[in-house]
Amino acid sequence: MKRKLQEVDAGEKPASSPSSSSAIGTSMNTTDIVLQTSSPKLSQKQDYIFHGGRRHVRPYYFEFISHVNKRWTGKTIVDLFADEFKGRPRDYYVGAVKCGRIKVDGETVPVSYIVRSSQKITHFVHSLECVEGFGHEPPVMTDDVQILVNEPDVVTVCKPASVPVHPCGQYRKNTVVGILDAEHDLGPLFPIHRLNRLVSGLLIIARTAAKADFFRKQIEGGMVKKRYIAKVIGVFPEDEKVVDANINYNGSEGRSTAEDANSSGGDKKVKGKPACTKFTRIGTNGIHSLVLCEPVTGRTHQIRVHLQYTGHPIANDPLYLNHDVDNLETKIAKRIDADERKMASPNDYVYSSEDFSIDPMCTNCPKLIPQGYEEHDEALWLHCVRYSGTGWEYECPYPSWASL
């Protein structure tokens, strides 16, 4: 399937199936976009570029699919995009419709075309500026996705920090699932639990839908025990500490707060959802402590915010470090193991035609990274070490930072 190469954009939600994706080849000329709709693989080894201590993805084309909803009905195709997806100027959408990168029900339409309910809108994109885009993916750290157990129906890995588990937001190929497909030909895969992108450690992935269902039933039934380790600020109490504090997640801020479940009085209601975490100190050097974390519930950022609640936040957690923590800790959060990694700035990359072909109207090309990506991600000092349930148990080695 080929489309005229003219313009690109972002904003629509991608199709639920990855089958409409495409990679951009270095031999592509500037007149065609080739969509590899028949490929069952999410990623290939040649999709990656390693530079400056980061794993980059060669820019590629992707077909986004949207359906006209009630609010969109009656708008012109250009007004729809200009009103709903403000990442680009109106003139861009005019050109995208004229050149056929934006189509309605598979057909090129005039810029004055008025959309009707449930019509399918397709959009061929190469460069995206919003969090729901693919094309130029953000880089991740180059640490390998280490396979720990590889059985016919389950694979466990040590997930490196900075790598998402599965396609989401701006990430598609630069994910654990994508890397396993490219480097180990493992797929399809069914992750049965999640780890935050900056968290490392044990990740259990089913290789069949039946095995995924087996694990999920135990997790939902509260039959699974989880263990993490964290490196926190200060001398954590020697005795076991149980934090029973509600977690209230603020989606607009991207962070959680904790409130004592027993602090409500009178008409005051405790916000958030019930959450409980058990903490046990493993060791301390007087500056930091290594703590075993056993979450009883599974709320967003639960361990991180509960550790903050105790007064001992994770020592390199920029989101939950207390305001009175010395500035040095914030600096550590920005650059962990900098002496070991010696990573170049993302902007140090110099375009080479051997790496990828330029889309002449892409706002990111010839840069490799997407717009808005400026800082390096580093490993949060929180690591999943063990999951166990009825009749099974999986573990992961400690990371290098766990030494005191």
Side-chain angles (χ1 to χ4, degrees):
M1 179 179 181
K2 294 186 177 181
R3 303 290 178 189
K4 290 292 182 181
L5 173 58
Q6 295 290 337
E7 307 207 351
V8 295
D9 185 64
E12 310 95 314
K13 291 182 181 287
S16 58
S17 169
S19 62
S20 60
S21 67
S22 68
I24 178 171
T26 56
S27 62
M28 188 199 74
N29 59 41
T30 57
T31 58
D32 295 312
I33 294 176
V34 180
L35 292 176
Q36 300 171 352
T37 56
S38 61
S39 175
K41 286 183 67 64
L42 176 61
S43 307
Q44 307 277 354
K45 284 185 178 181
Q46 61 267 28
D47 290 341
Y48 300 99
I49 298 172
F50 295 88
H51 168 77
R54 287 291 185 265
R55 177 194 292 265
H56 298 261
V57 174
R58 299 180 192 277
Y60 57 93
Y61 287 92
F62 196 85
E63 181 188 35
F64 283 78
I65 298 176
S66 299
H67 288 85
V68 178
N69 59 34
K70 185 177 181 180
R71 188 177 72 251
W72 296 356
T73 300
K75 291 186 176 183
T76 69
I77 186 66
V78 172
D79 285 344
L80 187 162
F81 277 88
D83 293 346
E84 300 292 335
F85 309 111
K86 301 181 185 296
R88 297 291 183 89
R90 183 183 181 87
D91 287 348
Y92 161 75
Y93 294 116
V94 171
V97 171
K98 286 181 177 179
C99 76
R101 285 207 178 181
I102 295 176
K103 291 179 177 288
V104 178
D105 288 336
E107 300 294 333
T108 300
V109 296
V111 295
S112 58
Y113 183 85
I114 296 176
V115 300
R116 302 188 303 275
S117 178
S118 300
Q119 285 187 304
K120 184 174 76 172
I121 299 176
T122 54
H123 200 172
F124 297 95
V125 296
H126 182 252
S127 165
L128 296 109
E129 298 175 349
C130 77
V131 296
E132 294 177 330
F134 304 108
H136 284 250
E137 294 190 28
V140 299
M141 294 159 65
T142 56
D143 299 325
D144 291 335
V145 178
Q146 179 188 359
I147 294 178
L148 305 173
V149 173
N150 192 353
E151 298 173 344
D153 56 358
V154 64
V155 59
T156 70
V157 303
C158 182
K159 179 187 111 52
S162 84
V163 183
V165 172
H166 52 72
C168 58
Q170 286 182 285
Y171 298 87
R172 188 164 181 272
K173 297 175 184 287
N174 249 350
T175 60
V176 172
V177 172
I179 294 170
L180 288 175
D181 189 22
E183 297 185 350
H184 300 280
D185 202 26
L186 289 173
L189 297 174
F190 305 85
I192 60 101
H193 66 105
R194 296 182 181 181
L195 293 179
N196 183 275
R197 189 173 63 83
L198 297 182
V199 176
S200 58
L202 177 68
L203 183 65
I204 304 171
I205 306 172
R207 301 184 66 177
T208 65
K211 192 65 173 180
D213 190 53
F214 165 80
F215 282 121
R216 289 193 182 108
K217 284 181 178 178
Q218 290 203 15
I219 291 174
E220 292 170 0
M223 302 163 63
V224 175
K225 295 182 179 180
K226 314 163 191 177
R227 287 190 172 189
Y228 294 73
I229 57 168
K231 192 173 184 177
V232 305
I233 290 174
V235 179
F236 198 85
E238 185 175 3
D239 295 334
E240 177 182 285
K241 186 173 184 63
V242 177
V243 175
D244 187 7
N246 281 27
I247 298 293
N248 184 32
Y249 179 69
N250 186 322
S252 61
E253 295 183 0
R255 59 179 292 155
S256 296
T257 55
E259 186 172 345
D260 190 339
N262 300 314
S263 65
S264 61
D267 296 332
K268 181 183 178 182
K269 290 186 178 181
V270 178
K271 296 180 180 180
K273 298 179 180 180
C276 180
T277 313
K278 182 172 70 174
F279 298 108
T280 307
R281 191 179 82 187
I282 298 173
T284 183
N285 61 5
I287 300 174
H288 295 119
S289 298
L290 196 63
V291 179
L292 175 66
C293 315
E294 299 176 273
V296 179
T297 52
R299 310 302 182 195
T300 302
H301 296 180
Q302 176 176 316
I303 294 175
R304 297 166 69 182
V305 74
H306 273 180
L307 283 169
Q308 181 198 45
Y309 184 82
T310 68
H312 299 274
I314 295 173
N316 71 337
D317 191 342
L319 197 58
Y320 294 107
L321 279 172
N322 294 333
H323 294 298
D324 58 351
V325 171
D326 190 274
N327 223 12
L328 177 61
E329 297 291 354
T330 303
K331 292 178 181 178
I332 292 174
K334 294 293 184 182
R335 296 195 65 183
I336 307 166
D337 300 332
D339 290 337
E340 294 181 10
R341 296 188 178 277
K342 299 290 184 183
M343 289 176 292
S345 165
N347 294 321
D348 288 344
Y349 171 79
V350 178
Y351 168 71
S352 169
S353 59
E354 295 180 357
D355 287 342
F356 64 95
S357 298
I358 289 180
D359 181 327
M361 301 191 74
C362 170
T363 57
N364 286 321
C365 289
K367 291 183 177 180
L368 189 55
I369 63 170
Q371 290 189 18
Y373 182 89
E374 297 176 353
E375 296 184 2
H376 287 303
D377 289 325
E378 303 293 355
L380 188 69
W381 286 343
L382 179 62
H383 184 85
C384 181
V385 295
R386 180 181 172 186
Y387 263 57
S388 60
T390 303
W392 58 273
E393 175 183 305
Y394 296 105
E395 294 184 333
C396 183
Y398 278 21
S400 59
W401 54 256
S403 172
L404 292 172

